[in-house]
Amino acid sequence: MESIPFLPEPVTIRPAGLDDAPALAVLHVATWRETYAGLLPDAMIAAHTVETRMAIWTRILGDRASGTGVAVAAGPVGLVGFGSCGAQRSAELAADRFDGEVSAIYVRRAAQRRGIGTALMSALAAHLLESGHRAASLWVLRDNAMARRFYERLGGVVVGERAEHREQGTLVEVAYGWRDLAVLRRGPMSG
């Protein structure tokens, strides 16, 4: 994937539309490669192609009735980040009253540490609140220390762990949760 230049201009956080699917697919693959290099087996990373992501994003963005919210961070160089959310998919976390879920959030490495991830999380929390959810969780690789620090800075606490066995290897993930989405909507915890 190509590198993107330093981003001096602010980005806009907005809901994704069906016409964003091609750029979102490219961004998803690029952020997967950046995020998981050294954390996941190469075969698992390579399995995420622009073609497979394009089909997934076209389906998701074409089905507004699904309740899935997708936000993108758009700047002068195009999309640099995205996030998606919806109803909780884990029965255990739903039983623990985490009724919403952030299913994905990624920001290009060159655009990180500029508040884009925080703004995306805030937009996702707003979507979940507007959809009637009051609490949410997300899953992150246990070994992804940078992402875990980010979620902790936003007030997330570990509420679960799982090992998911796949053909290319085993993923060990932890769940971070927010009991009050209104707090996540407001941004990082001070202190």
Side-chain angles (χ1 to χ4, degrees), residues 76-170:
V77 297
L79 299 184
V80 297
F82 73 95
S84 62
C85 64
Q88 182 60 251
R89 296 177 293 176
S90 164
E92 291 143 18
L93 292 172
D96 198 17
R97 297 190 324 259
F98 291 102
D99 58 344
E101 179 181 11
V102 173
S103 48
I105 181 164
Y106 294 96
V107 176
R108 289 295 305 257
R109 185 157 292 146
Q112 291 177 0
R113 301 188 186 279
R114 299 188 55 240
I116 296 168
T118 301
L120 283 167
M121 287 292 282
S122 179
L124 297 174
H127 175 84
L128 288 168
L129 284 165
E130 290 166 9
S131 300
H133 301 289
R134 296 292 165 249
S137 67
L138 59 77
W139 291 99
V140 61
L141 282 179
R142 183 180 62 195
D143 295 337
N144 189 343
M146 188 165 71
R148 293 186 67 179
R149 283 191 301 272
F150 171 69
Y151 300 132
E152 289 166 5
R153 186 175 64 80
L154 292 178
V157 296
V158 174
V159 295
E161 183 169 327
R162 70 182 178 191
E164 187 176 319
H165 305 286
R166 295 189 182 178
E167 184 178 319
Q168 304 97 340
T170 299

Side-chain angles (χ1 to χ4, degrees), residues 25-94:
V26 170
L27 175 63
H28 198 166
V29 171
T31 55
W32 249 76
R33 290 179 180 170
E34 288 178 345
T35 301
Y36 298 120
L39 293 176
L40 291 177
D42 291 342
M44 193 176 287
I45 295 170
H48 288 271
T49 65
V50 171
E51 294 77 22
T52 60
R53 295 292 110 186
M54 177 69 173
I56 290 167
W57 286 115
T58 299
R59 180 180 46 78
I60 290 170
L61 295 172
D63 182 9
R64 291 291 179 194
S66 73
T68 301
V70 182
V72 294
V77 297
L79 299 184
V80 297
F82 73 95
S84 62
C85 64
Q88 182 60 251
R89 296 177 293 176
S90 164
E92 291 143 18
L93 292 172

